[in-house]
Each structure stands twice: as C-alpha cells, then as structure tokens.
Amino acid sequence: MWSWVGHRITGVVIFVFLLVHVLDTSLVRVSPEAYTAVIGAYKNPIMGLGEAALVAAIVFHAFNGLRIILIDFWKKGPKYQRHMLWSVLILWVVVMVPFLIRHLSIVFGGH
Amino acid sequence: MSNDTIAAPRSAHTPQYKRHKTGRASFEMMAWLFMRLSGVVLVVLIFGHLFVNLMLGQGIHAIDFGFVAGKWSSPFWQVWDLLMLWLAMLHGTNGVRTIINDYAERNGTRMTLKTVLYIAAAVIIVLGTLVIFTFDPCPAGAVTDLPSFCPVP
Ligand code: HEM
C-alpha cells in the first residue's frame, strides 16, 4: 500500500521537475550566457541536496516500476511481490550510497 | 469418434464476450501496456543520462553551454534525448491523467485539469523537440562557454 503511495508521489514530483528541466535546457536556444547563468543555480549546495532527493525519487520509482511490471507479467510475480519490495529497497540503497558519495562530494567539494 | 468439444449454444440471444472491442477499453489497454514498455526503456535512458551528466568527469560542475553543445553534436545523444523526452513526457502525462481521474470527482474539475495537463505536455514536447533539432552549438556573436570545436572568433 505505501509502496503505491510512494510510486504515485515520486511519479508526480518527477513529472513536475521534467517540465521545468525541459524549460531550463531550452535556454541553450536563447544564448550560451542565459543557459550557463540558469544552470549555475543547480550547482549551489541547496540545489545539490534537491538533486539528491530527486535522484532518490527517480531511483525508487524506477525499481518499484520494474517490480510492478514483474508482478503483472511474471507468473510468480504476485507470489513474490513482498520479496521484490525488499529487493527494491536494497537496490535503492546500493545505488544511492555511491551516488550520494560522488554527487555530494562534487557539490560540496568546492571547485 | 464423437466430438469432445461442447457445441455452442443455439440461442440467438447469447451475449458475446467482447474483449476490448470498444474504443475506450482498447485505449486504456494500450495506455496500460505503454506505461510498462516505456518504463523499461526509461530505466536505461534515465540511468544513462544521470550517470553521464552527474557522475562522470566533474559531475554537475561540468555542465554549461559547451557541455550540451558537445553532446548534441552527436546524433547518438540527440536520439537518446529525443527518445527520453517523448517517452518520459507521454509516460508522465498518462500517469498524471490516471491520478486526476482518481481524485478529481467533479466532471468540470476533471476536464479542466486534464485540459491544462494536455496543453502543458504538448508545449513541452514540441519545445523540447525543436530545441534538440534546431540547436546551434556555435551561435553567431556568442563568446563564452562555447565547445572547443567552434571556430575562434
Ligand atoms: C525510470 C523508469 C520508470 C519506470 C520503470 C516507471 C514505471 C512505472 C509503472 C510500471 C507505472 C504504473 C502504471 C500503472 O499502474 O498502470 C508508473 C506510473 C507512473 N509513472 Fe513511471 N516509470 C518510470 C519513469 C517515470 C518518469 C520519468 C515519470 C515522470 C515524468 C513517471 C511518472 C509516473 C506517473 C505520474 C505514474 C502514475 C502513478 C499512479 O498512477 O499511481 N515515471 N511508472
């Protein structure tokens, strides 16, 4: 049940970000200065934490989405759905830990 | 040997079992299937996108106009990003449509929200597609953050 709530919320959050992300990337068509100025905002530490949260949401939605697909199409999917939820959470940690170490050290590394 | 199968009932009024024959039902079936197929492809596209843009080299610090110009000078990344744009937008739009149908109970509210959703989605898909294809990596008059392959002014 809560995995369904989580899937919904992350889906909407990613969608809203995607709308904004296409708009900011479109600034490359305005001028290099406009793009670089706005993308510069993504590089401060506060935004760095926001990006980390966003990636956490996407990684959860992606792995849980694959779990939903397996429940629907794999014969034994419904039987193992609970095990697969644990796998989703474990995979999420396995991906997020190295991601956070790398991304946060880039963001807070002070280049 | 006699027939093992049971003959069809003769009644003319036997209701036919019609599975997704109506337009509405087959649309929902296609949408359901699309969510799953696009999901599988999106995992590859999005994880690849995040890895190349945030993990390699200087990570997010490397992203500026020249970075984007460098990527889109290759048809590989143009196609990658175009596919990601269309699949993610259609997947996300269809997902939000489901959510609106679930929670907006008044007919008027539902229609209004979905109209706004479809217009926003169409604008973003068209805009993103145009940007990928009309992009100029060395715009005239620009001096900062250009990719290294641009002629020096
Ligand atoms: C990374 C790969 C992704 C996978 C594997 C995936 C998978 C799925 C699946 C299987 C569903 C359930 C559909 C259903 O119940 O019929 C779903 C729903 C949804 N997805 Fe994704 N998705 C991915 C990426 C995205 C992205 C990038 C967005 C946003 C643009 C998004 C937004 C949504 C939304 C809003 C829903 C509806 C949630 C609901 O009805 O409760 N997804 N996704």
mmCIF file of all heavy atoms in Angstrom, chain A residues 4 7-8 10-12 14-16 18 58 61-66 68-69 72, chain B residues 31-32 35-36 38-44 46-47 88-89 91-96 98-99 102, ligand 1:
data_model
loop_
_atom_site.group_PDB
_atom_site.id
_atom_site.type_symbol
_atom_site.label_atom_id
_atom_site.label_comp_id
_atom_site.label_asym_id
_atom_site.label_seq_id
_atom_site.Cartn_x
_atom_site.Cartn_y
_atom_site.Cartn_z
ATOM 1 N N TRP A 4 2.670 1.905 -3.134
ATOM 2 C CA TRP A 4 1.841 2.512 -4.168
ATOM 3 C C TRP A 4 1.775 4.029 -3.980
ATOM 4 O O TRP A 4 1.924 4.792 -4.943
ATOM 5 C CB TRP A 4 0.436 1.888 -4.098
ATOM 6 C CG TRP A 4 -0.566 2.494 -5.015
ATOM 7 C CD1 TRP A 4 -0.705 2.245 -6.360
ATOM 8 C CD2 TRP A 4 -1.588 3.451 -4.676
ATOM 9 N NE1 TRP A 4 -1.738 2.989 -6.866
ATOM 10 C CE2 TRP A 4 -2.294 3.740 -5.857
ATOM 11 C CE3 TRP A 4 -1.951 4.087 -3.489
ATOM 12 C CZ2 TRP A 4 -3.363 4.641 -5.889
ATOM 13 C CZ3 TRP A 4 -3.012 4.986 -3.521
ATOM 14 C CH2 TRP A 4 -3.703 5.256 -4.705
ATOM 15 N N HIS A 7 5.032 5.398 -5.057
ATOM 16 C CA HIS A 7 5.163 5.398 -6.509
ATOM 17 C C HIS A 7 4.420 6.586 -7.128
ATOM 18 O O HIS A 7 4.919 7.245 -8.032
ATOM 19 C CB HIS A 7 4.620 4.077 -7.077
ATOM 20 C CG HIS A 7 5.103 3.788 -8.460
ATOM 21 N ND1 HIS A 7 6.335 3.231 -8.717
ATOM 22 C CD2 HIS A 7 4.530 3.984 -9.665
ATOM 23 C CE1 HIS A 7 6.492 3.101 -10.015
ATOM 24 N NE2 HIS A 7 5.410 3.555 -10.629
ATOM 25 N N ARG A 8 3.214 6.861 -6.587
ATOM 26 C CA ARG A 8 2.400 7.993 -7.069
ATOM 27 C C ARG A 8 3.096 9.317 -6.836
ATOM 28 O O ARG A 8 3.228 10.140 -7.742
ATOM 29 C CB ARG A 8 1.083 8.058 -6.279
ATOM 30 C CG ARG A 8 -0.011 7.369 -6.919
ATOM 31 C CD ARG A 8 -1.355 7.884 -6.774
ATOM 32 N NE ARG A 8 -1.957 7.304 -7.974
ATOM 33 C CZ ARG A 8 -3.232 7.103 -8.145
ATOM 34 N NH1 ARG A 8 -4.081 7.466 -7.235
ATOM 35 N NH2 ARG A 8 -3.654 6.567 -9.251
ATOM 36 N N THR A 10 6.277 10.012 -6.094
ATOM 37 C CA THR A 10 7.513 10.200 -6.859
ATOM 38 C C THR A 10 7.190 10.460 -8.330
ATOM 39 O O THR A 10 7.826 11.286 -8.969
ATOM 40 C CB THR A 10 8.456 8.987 -6.740
ATOM 41 O OG1 THR A 10 7.724 7.792 -7.054
ATOM 42 C CG2 THR A 10 9.033 8.850 -5.347
ATOM 43 N N GLY A 11 6.171 9.782 -8.883
ATOM 44 C CA GLY A 11 5.786 9.992 -10.287
ATOM 45 C C GLY A 11 5.427 11.444 -10.563
ATOM 46 O O GLY A 11 5.912 12.044 -11.524
ATOM 47 N N VAL A 12 4.609 12.027 -9.683
ATOM 48 C CA VAL A 12 4.192 13.427 -9.890
ATOM 49 C C VAL A 12 5.372 14.379 -9.729
ATOM 50 O O VAL A 12 5.561 15.305 -10.521
ATOM 51 C CB VAL A 12 3.068 13.809 -8.909
ATOM 52 C CG1 VAL A 12 2.705 15.273 -9.061
ATOM 53 C CG2 VAL A 12 1.841 12.954 -9.154
ATOM 54 N N ILE A 14 8.575 13.797 -10.187
ATOM 55 C CA ILE A 14 9.471 13.701 -11.336
ATOM 56 C C ILE A 14 8.860 14.422 -12.543
ATOM 57 O O ILE A 14 9.544 15.114 -13.284
ATOM 58 C CB ILE A 14 9.747 12.220 -11.702
ATOM 59 C CG1 ILE A 14 10.379 11.476 -10.524
ATOM 60 C CG2 ILE A 14 10.668 12.127 -12.902
ATOM 61 C CD1 ILE A 14 10.299 9.962 -10.663
ATOM 62 N N PHE A 15 7.559 14.269 -12.709
ATOM 63 C CA PHE A 15 6.886 14.898 -13.858
ATOM 64 C C PHE A 15 7.008 16.422 -13.782
ATOM 65 O O PHE A 15 7.364 17.068 -14.777
ATOM 66 C CB PHE A 15 5.413 14.479 -13.891
ATOM 67 C CG PHE A 15 4.659 15.031 -15.075
ATOM 68 C CD1 PHE A 15 4.933 14.565 -16.357
ATOM 69 C CD2 PHE A 15 3.687 16.005 -14.908
ATOM 70 C CE1 PHE A 15 4.244 15.059 -17.456
ATOM 71 C CE2 PHE A 15 2.991 16.511 -16.008
ATOM 72 C CZ PHE A 15 3.269 16.042 -17.280
ATOM 73 N N VAL A 16 6.753 16.989 -12.595
ATOM 74 C CA VAL A 16 6.849 18.446 -12.447
ATOM 75 C C VAL A 16 8.285 18.907 -12.716
ATOM 76 O O VAL A 16 8.523 19.890 -13.419
ATOM 77 C CB VAL A 16 6.383 18.882 -11.041
ATOM 78 C CG1 VAL A 16 6.659 20.356 -10.808
ATOM 79 C CG2 VAL A 16 4.902 18.587 -10.869
ATOM 80 N N LEU A 18 10.432 17.442 -14.599
ATOM 81 C CA LEU A 18 10.717 17.285 -16.029
ATOM 82 C C LEU A 18 10.227 18.496 -16.823
ATOM 83 O O LEU A 18 10.933 18.984 -17.716
ATOM 84 C CB LEU A 18 10.076 15.991 -16.560
ATOM 85 C CG LEU A 18 10.249 15.716 -18.054
ATOM 86 C CD1 LEU A 18 11.719 15.648 -18.438
ATOM 87 C CD2 LEU A 18 9.554 14.414 -18.430
ATOM 88 N N ILE A 58 13.612 9.223 -8.302
ATOM 89 C CA ILE A 58 13.626 8.540 -9.598
ATOM 90 C C ILE A 58 14.061 7.089 -9.441
ATOM 91 O O ILE A 58 13.470 6.185 -10.031
ATOM 92 C CB ILE A 58 14.561 9.274 -10.590
ATOM 93 C CG1 ILE A 58 13.973 10.648 -10.927
ATOM 94 C CG2 ILE A 58 14.769 8.449 -11.858
ATOM 95 C CD1 ILE A 58 14.854 11.481 -11.833
ATOM 96 N N HIS A 61 11.240 5.120 -7.953
ATOM 97 C CA HIS A 61 10.164 4.939 -8.934
ATOM 98 C C HIS A 61 10.574 3.927 -10.006
ATOM 99 O O HIS A 61 9.773 3.078 -10.413
ATOM 100 C CB HIS A 61 9.820 6.287 -9.568
ATOM 101 C CG HIS A 61 8.612 6.280 -10.442
ATOM 102 N ND1 HIS A 61 7.370 6.691 -9.998
ATOM 103 C CD2 HIS A 61 8.431 5.912 -11.741
ATOM 104 C CE1 HIS A 61 6.493 6.583 -10.988
ATOM 105 N NE2 HIS A 61 7.108 6.107 -12.060
ATOM 106 N N ALA A 62 11.829 3.994 -10.435
ATOM 107 C CA ALA A 62 12.304 3.080 -11.478
ATOM 108 C C ALA A 62 12.285 1.629 -10.984
ATOM 109 O O ALA A 62 11.708 0.753 -11.639
ATOM 110 C CB ALA A 62 13.720 3.472 -11.908
ATOM 111 N N PHE A 63 12.895 1.369 -9.810
ATOM 112 C CA PHE A 63 12.956 -0.009 -9.320
ATOM 113 C C PHE A 63 11.568 -0.520 -8.934
ATOM 114 O O PHE A 63 11.213 -1.664 -9.229
ATOM 115 C CB PHE A 63 13.926 -0.123 -8.132
ATOM 116 C CG PHE A 63 15.375 0.003 -8.543
ATOM 117 C CD1 PHE A 63 16.336 0.462 -7.657
ATOM 118 C CD2 PHE A 63 15.777 -0.347 -9.827
ATOM 119 C CE1 PHE A 63 17.671 0.573 -8.046
ATOM 120 C CE2 PHE A 63 17.108 -0.244 -10.217
ATOM 121 C CZ PHE A 63 18.052 0.223 -9.321
ATOM 122 N N ASN A 64 10.767 0.340 -8.292
ATOM 123 C CA ASN A 64 9.418 -0.112 -7.941
ATOM 124 C C ASN A 64 8.584 -0.312 -9.208
ATOM 125 O O ASN A 64 7.740 -1.213 -9.259
ATOM 126 C CB ASN A 64 8.752 0.882 -6.990
ATOM 127 C CG ASN A 64 7.461 0.336 -6.414
ATOM 128 O OD1 ASN A 64 6.384 0.827 -6.680
ATOM 129 N ND2 ASN A 64 7.566 -0.737 -5.651
ATOM 130 N N GLY A 65 8.838 0.505 -10.249
ATOM 131 C CA GLY A 65 8.135 0.332 -11.530
ATOM 132 C C GLY A 65 8.452 -1.030 -12.137
ATOM 133 O O GLY A 65 7.562 -1.737 -12.622
ATOM 134 N N LEU A 66 9.744 -1.409 -12.080
ATOM 135 C CA LEU A 66 10.121 -2.732 -12.591
ATOM 136 C C LEU A 66 9.438 -3.829 -11.771
ATOM 137 O O LEU A 66 9.028 -4.863 -12.306
ATOM 138 C CB LEU A 66 11.651 -2.902 -12.554
ATOM 139 C CG LEU A 66 12.427 -1.975 -13.506
ATOM 140 C CD1 LEU A 66 13.933 -2.176 -13.318
ATOM 141 C CD2 LEU A 66 12.046 -2.232 -14.965
ATOM 142 N N ILE A 68 6.472 -3.555 -10.310
ATOM 143 C CA ILE A 68 5.077 -3.597 -10.770
ATOM 144 C C ILE A 68 4.980 -4.407 -12.069
ATOM 145 O O ILE A 68 4.091 -5.244 -12.241
ATOM 146 C CB ILE A 68 4.542 -2.170 -11.018
ATOM 147 C CG1 ILE A 68 4.506 -1.366 -9.709
ATOM 148 C CG2 ILE A 68 3.162 -2.207 -11.668
ATOM 149 C CD1 ILE A 68 4.113 0.094 -9.897
ATOM 150 N N ILE A 69 5.941 -4.165 -12.972
ATOM 151 C CA ILE A 69 5.930 -4.861 -14.264
ATOM 152 C C ILE A 69 6.083 -6.370 -14.053
ATOM 153 O O ILE A 69 5.393 -7.173 -14.666
ATOM 154 C CB ILE A 69 7.048 -4.297 -15.177
ATOM 155 C CG1 ILE A 69 6.733 -2.829 -15.522
ATOM 156 C CG2 ILE A 69 7.194 -5.133 -16.446
ATOM 157 C CD1 ILE A 69 7.873 -2.074 -16.171
ATOM 158 N N ASP A 72 2.930 -7.915 -12.817
ATOM 159 C CA ASP A 72 1.912 -8.050 -13.867
ATOM 160 C C ASP A 72 2.230 -9.136 -14.887
ATOM 161 O O ASP A 72 1.334 -9.773 -15.414
ATOM 162 C CB ASP A 72 1.738 -6.716 -14.601
ATOM 163 C CG ASP A 72 1.024 -5.685 -13.729
ATOM 164 O OD1 ASP A 72 0.361 -6.096 -12.766
ATOM 165 O OD2 ASP A 72 1.134 -4.477 -14.020
ATOM 166 N N ALA B 31 -2.758 2.123 -23.128
ATOM 167 C CA ALA B 31 -2.109 3.021 -22.170
ATOM 168 C C ALA B 31 -1.433 2.207 -21.068
ATOM 169 O O ALA B 31 -0.292 2.489 -20.675
ATOM 170 C CB ALA B 31 -3.126 3.990 -21.570
ATOM 171 N N TRP B 32 -2.129 1.187 -20.598
ATOM 172 C CA TRP B 32 -1.579 0.310 -19.549
ATOM 173 C C TRP B 32 -0.288 -0.342 -20.036
ATOM 174 O O TRP B 32 0.729 -0.379 -19.346
ATOM 175 C CB TRP B 32 -2.642 -0.747 -19.216
ATOM 176 C CG TRP B 32 -2.297 -1.701 -18.112
ATOM 177 C CD1 TRP B 32 -2.565 -1.549 -16.780
ATOM 178 C CD2 TRP B 32 -1.639 -2.971 -18.244
ATOM 179 N NE1 TRP B 32 -2.116 -2.628 -16.083
ATOM 180 C CE2 TRP B 32 -1.544 -3.519 -16.938
ATOM 181 C CE3 TRP B 32 -1.113 -3.694 -19.322
ATOM 182 C CZ2 TRP B 32 -0.958 -4.760 -16.689
ATOM 183 C CZ3 TRP B 32 -0.523 -4.926 -19.065
ATOM 184 C CH2 TRP B 32 -0.460 -5.444 -17.765
ATOM 185 N N MET B 35 2.612 2.177 -20.415
ATOM 186 C CA MET B 35 3.267 2.526 -19.149
ATOM 187 C C MET B 35 4.372 1.524 -18.834
ATOM 188 O O MET B 35 5.442 1.887 -18.335
ATOM 189 C CB MET B 35 2.259 2.538 -17.997
ATOM 190 C CG MET B 35 1.275 3.682 -18.004
ATOM 191 S SD MET B 35 2.039 5.290 -18.146
ATOM 192 C CE MET B 35 2.373 5.666 -16.436
ATOM 193 N N ARG B 36 4.122 0.260 -19.120
ATOM 194 C CA ARG B 36 5.098 -0.774 -18.788
ATOM 195 C C ARG B 36 6.262 -0.826 -19.780
ATOM 196 O O ARG B 36 7.426 -0.927 -19.377
ATOM 197 C CB ARG B 36 4.384 -2.120 -18.688
ATOM 198 C CG ARG B 36 3.712 -2.272 -17.333
ATOM 199 C CD ARG B 36 2.351 -2.917 -17.336
ATOM 200 N NE ARG B 36 1.738 -2.820 -16.006
ATOM 201 C CZ ARG B 36 1.082 -1.752 -15.562
ATOM 202 N NH1 ARG B 36 0.914 -0.702 -16.346
ATOM 203 N NH2 ARG B 36 0.590 -1.728 -14.337
ATOM 204 N N SER B 38 7.278 1.644 -21.848
ATOM 205 C CA SER B 38 8.083 2.867 -21.744
ATOM 206 C C SER B 38 8.891 2.841 -20.450
ATOM 207 O O SER B 38 10.035 3.297 -20.429
ATOM 208 C CB SER B 38 7.191 4.105 -21.807
ATOM 209 O OG SER B 38 6.242 4.082 -20.760
ATOM 210 N N GLY B 39 8.324 2.280 -19.382
ATOM 211 C CA GLY B 39 9.046 2.205 -18.113
ATOM 212 C C GLY B 39 10.363 1.460 -18.262
ATOM 213 O O GLY B 39 11.404 1.933 -17.803
ATOM 214 N N VAL B 40 10.324 0.306 -18.931
ATOM 215 C CA VAL B 40 11.543 -0.490 -19.098
ATOM 216 C C VAL B 40 12.600 0.297 -19.875
ATOM 217 O O VAL B 40 13.779 0.356 -19.478
ATOM 218 C CB VAL B 40 11.226 -1.816 -19.823
ATOM 219 C CG1 VAL B 40 12.507 -2.560 -20.141
ATOM 220 C CG2 VAL B 40 10.315 -2.689 -18.975
ATOM 221 N N VAL B 41 12.175 0.961 -20.965
ATOM 222 C CA VAL B 41 13.131 1.715 -21.774
ATOM 223 C C VAL B 41 13.660 2.927 -20.988
ATOM 224 O O VAL B 41 14.849 3.250 -21.035
ATOM 225 C CB VAL B 41 12.482 2.169 -23.105
ATOM 226 C CG1 VAL B 41 13.478 2.936 -23.962
ATOM 227 C CG2 VAL B 41 11.941 0.961 -23.865
ATOM 228 N N LEU B 42 12.754 3.566 -20.228
ATOM 229 C CA LEU B 42 13.160 4.759 -19.471
ATOM 230 C C LEU B 42 14.217 4.460 -18.416
ATOM 231 O O LEU B 42 15.066 5.305 -18.131
ATOM 232 C CB LEU B 42 11.937 5.419 -18.824
ATOM 233 C CG LEU B 42 11.106 6.306 -19.754
ATOM 234 C CD1 LEU B 42 9.783 6.685 -19.097
ATOM 235 C CD2 LEU B 42 11.877 7.561 -20.152
ATOM 236 N N VAL B 43 14.176 3.272 -17.825
ATOM 237 C CA VAL B 43 15.201 2.934 -16.839
ATOM 238 C C VAL B 43 16.586 3.098 -17.475
ATOM 239 O O VAL B 43 17.478 3.754 -16.928
ATOM 240 C CB VAL B 43 15.046 1.486 -16.317
ATOM 241 C CG1 VAL B 43 16.209 1.121 -15.419
ATOM 242 C CG2 VAL B 43 13.739 1.328 -15.557
ATOM 243 N N VAL B 44 16.754 2.532 -18.681
ATOM 244 C CA VAL B 44 18.048 2.606 -19.364
ATOM 245 C C VAL B 44 18.381 4.057 -19.719
ATOM 246 O O VAL B 44 19.472 4.561 -19.419
ATOM 247 C CB VAL B 44 18.022 1.729 -20.642
ATOM 248 C CG1 VAL B 44 19.342 1.840 -21.380
ATOM 249 C CG2 VAL B 44 17.708 0.278 -20.286
ATOM 250 N N ILE B 46 17.196 6.985 -18.557
ATOM 251 C CA ILE B 46 17.379 7.937 -17.452
ATOM 252 C C ILE B 46 18.633 7.608 -16.639
ATOM 253 O O ILE B 46 19.408 8.491 -16.292
ATOM 254 C CB ILE B 46 16.126 7.968 -16.550
ATOM 255 C CG1 ILE B 46 14.952 8.547 -17.356
ATOM 256 C CG2 ILE B 46 16.376 8.798 -15.302
ATOM 257 C CD1 ILE B 46 13.641 8.583 -16.612
ATOM 258 N N PHE B 47 18.870 6.317 -16.350
ATOM 259 C CA PHE B 47 20.078 5.970 -15.601
ATOM 260 C C PHE B 47 21.320 6.362 -16.397
ATOM 261 O O PHE B 47 22.288 6.879 -15.833
ATOM 262 C CB PHE B 47 20.083 4.476 -15.236
ATOM 263 C CG PHE B 47 19.233 4.148 -14.021
ATOM 264 C CD1 PHE B 47 18.093 4.885 -13.725
ATOM 265 C CD2 PHE B 47 19.570 3.103 -13.165
ATOM 266 C CE1 PHE B 47 17.302 4.591 -12.601
ATOM 267 C CE2 PHE B 47 18.787 2.800 -12.038
ATOM 268 C CZ PHE B 47 17.658 3.542 -11.770
ATOM 269 N N ALA B 88 9.314 9.901 -21.598
ATOM 270 C CA ALA B 88 9.063 10.374 -20.231
ATOM 271 C C ALA B 88 7.840 11.284 -20.194
ATOM 272 O O ALA B 88 7.023 11.209 -19.275
ATOM 273 C CB ALA B 88 10.294 11.103 -19.677
ATOM 274 N N MET B 89 7.689 12.149 -21.205
ATOM 275 C CA MET B 89 6.533 13.054 -21.206
ATOM 276 C C MET B 89 5.227 12.284 -21.398
ATOM 277 O O MET B 89 4.231 12.566 -20.726
ATOM 278 C CB MET B 89 6.693 14.117 -22.297
ATOM 279 C CG MET B 89 7.608 15.266 -21.924
ATOM 280 S SD MET B 89 7.132 16.103 -20.399
ATOM 281 C CE MET B 89 5.522 16.736 -20.836
ATOM 282 N N HIS B 91 4.685 9.061 -20.765
ATOM 283 C CA HIS B 91 4.518 8.231 -19.570
ATOM 284 C C HIS B 91 4.025 9.091 -18.393
ATOM 285 O O HIS B 91 3.045 8.740 -17.722
ATOM 286 C CB HIS B 91 5.860 7.566 -19.257
ATOM 287 C CG HIS B 91 5.894 6.704 -18.026
ATOM 288 N ND1 HIS B 91 5.939 5.325 -18.087
ATOM 289 C CD2 HIS B 91 5.913 7.021 -16.711
ATOM 290 C CE1 HIS B 91 5.980 4.849 -16.854
ATOM 291 N NE2 HIS B 91 5.964 5.849 -15.995
ATOM 292 N N GLY B 92 4.684 10.215 -18.167
ATOM 293 C CA GLY B 92 4.302 11.079 -17.050
ATOM 294 C C GLY B 92 2.912 11.680 -17.251
ATOM 295 O O GLY B 92 2.113 11.741 -16.313
ATOM 296 N N THR B 93 2.612 12.104 -18.469
ATOM 297 C CA THR B 93 1.291 12.687 -18.742
ATOM 298 C C THR B 93 0.195 11.655 -18.525
ATOM 299 O O THR B 93 -0.838 11.931 -17.899
ATOM 300 C CB THR B 93 1.230 13.232 -20.184
ATOM 301 O OG1 THR B 93 2.284 14.178 -20.362
ATOM 302 C CG2 THR B 93 -0.109 13.910 -20.455
ATOM 303 N N ASN B 94 0.428 10.447 -19.030
ATOM 304 C CA ASN B 94 -0.583 9.406 -18.825
ATOM 305 C C ASN B 94 -0.726 9.052 -17.343
ATOM 306 O O ASN B 94 -1.842 8.826 -16.865
ATOM 307 C CB ASN B 94 -0.249 8.164 -19.654
ATOM 308 C CG ASN B 94 -1.365 7.149 -19.596
ATOM 309 O OD1 ASN B 94 -1.204 6.065 -19.054
ATOM 310 N ND2 ASN B 94 -2.530 7.520 -20.092
ATOM 311 N N GLY B 95 0.401 9.039 -16.622
ATOM 312 C CA GLY B 95 0.339 8.759 -15.185
ATOM 313 C C GLY B 95 -0.450 9.823 -14.429
ATOM 314 O O GLY B 95 -1.304 9.502 -13.598
ATOM 315 N N VAL B 96 -0.195 11.093 -14.757
ATOM 316 C CA VAL B 96 -0.910 12.172 -14.074
ATOM 317 C C VAL B 96 -2.391 12.164 -14.482
ATOM 318 O O VAL B 96 -3.268 12.449 -13.665
ATOM 319 C CB VAL B 96 -0.238 13.536 -14.362
ATOM 320 C CG1 VAL B 96 -1.057 14.688 -13.787
ATOM 321 C CG2 VAL B 96 1.178 13.569 -13.778
ATOM 322 N N THR B 98 -4.156 9.501 -15.003
ATOM 323 C CA THR B 98 -4.759 8.498 -14.118
ATOM 324 C C THR B 98 -5.042 9.085 -12.745
ATOM 325 O O THR B 98 -6.107 8.855 -12.162
ATOM 326 C CB THR B 98 -3.784 7.303 -13.945
ATOM 327 O OG1 THR B 98 -3.444 6.809 -15.237
ATOM 328 C CG2 THR B 98 -4.414 6.198 -13.114
ATOM 329 N N ILE B 99 -4.068 9.843 -12.238
ATOM 330 C CA ILE B 99 -4.221 10.407 -10.891
ATOM 331 C C ILE B 99 -5.361 11.421 -10.864
ATOM 332 O O ILE B 99 -6.166 11.437 -9.926
ATOM 333 C CB ILE B 99 -2.878 11.026 -10.432
ATOM 334 C CG1 ILE B 99 -1.823 9.910 -10.310
ATOM 335 C CG2 ILE B 99 -3.046 11.762 -9.109
ATOM 336 C CD1 ILE B 99 -0.438 10.392 -9.983
ATOM 337 N N ASP B 102 -8.545 9.680 -10.738
ATOM 338 C CA ASP B 102 -8.791 9.081 -9.429
ATOM 339 C C ASP B 102 -9.319 10.075 -8.401
ATOM 340 O O ASP B 102 -10.161 9.729 -7.580
ATOM 341 C CB ASP B 102 -7.495 8.460 -8.872
ATOM 342 C CG ASP B 102 -7.247 7.071 -9.443
ATOM 343 O OD1 ASP B 102 -8.098 6.600 -10.217
ATOM 344 O OD2 ASP B 102 -6.208 6.477 -9.118
HETATM 345 C C1 HEM C 1 12.670 5.224 -14.686
HETATM 346 C C2 HEM C 1 11.859 4.406 -15.290
HETATM 347 C C3 HEM C 1 10.374 4.320 -14.967
HETATM 348 C C4 HEM C 1 9.697 3.164 -14.740
HETATM 349 C C5 HEM C 1 10.265 1.732 -14.746
HETATM 350 C C6 HEM C 1 8.323 3.523 -14.491
HETATM 351 C C7 HEM C 1 7.308 2.602 -14.277
HETATM 352 C C8 HEM C 1 6.008 2.920 -13.990
HETATM 353 C C9 HEM C 1 4.933 1.975 -13.839
HETATM 354 C C10 HEM C 1 5.052 0.465 -14.028
HETATM 355 C C11 HEM C 1 3.822 2.676 -13.513
HETATM 356 C C12 HEM C 1 2.452 2.096 -13.163
HETATM 357 C C13 HEM C 1 1.465 2.271 -14.280
HETATM 358 C C14 HEM C 1 0.131 1.659 -13.926
HETATM 359 O O1 HEM C 1 -0.155 1.416 -12.744
HETATM 360 O O2 HEM C 1 -0.631 1.412 -14.877
HETATM 361 C C15 HEM C 1 4.180 4.068 -13.452
HETATM 362 C C16 HEM C 1 3.316 5.083 -13.121
HETATM 363 C C17 HEM C 1 3.650 6.425 -13.167
HETATM 364 N N1 HEM C 1 4.859 6.960 -13.571
HETATM 365 FE FE1 HEM C 1 6.509 5.927 -14.028
HETATM 366 N N2 HEM C 1 8.185 4.883 -14.542
HETATM 367 C C18 HEM C 1 9.413 5.420 -14.855
HETATM 368 C C19 HEM C 1 9.697 6.760 -15.048
HETATM 369 C C20 HEM C 1 8.803 7.800 -14.864
HETATM 370 C C21 HEM C 1 9.067 9.199 -15.149
HETATM 371 C C22 HEM C 1 10.362 9.749 -15.728
HETATM 372 C C23 HEM C 1 7.936 9.893 -14.794
HETATM 373 C C24 HEM C 1 7.665 11.373 -14.889
HETATM 374 C C25 HEM C 1 7.861 12.067 -15.981
HETATM 375 C C26 HEM C 1 6.975 8.942 -14.312
HETATM 376 C C27 HEM C 1 5.712 9.262 -13.851
HETATM 377 C C28 HEM C 1 4.751 8.342 -13.495
HETATM 378 C C29 HEM C 1 3.441 8.698 -13.000
HETATM 379 C C30 HEM C 1 2.907 10.113 -12.753
HETATM 380 C C31 HEM C 1 2.747 7.490 -12.783
HETATM 381 C C32 HEM C 1 1.306 7.298 -12.283
HETATM 382 C C33 HEM C 1 1.278 6.811 -10.850
HETATM 383 C C34 HEM C 1 -0.055 6.241 -10.456
HETATM 384 O O3 HEM C 1 -0.953 6.072 -11.305
HETATM 385 O O4 HEM C 1 -0.195 5.958 -9.264
HETATM 386 N N3 HEM C 1 7.523 7.675 -14.356
HETATM 387 N N4 HEM C 1 5.532 4.203 -13.755
#
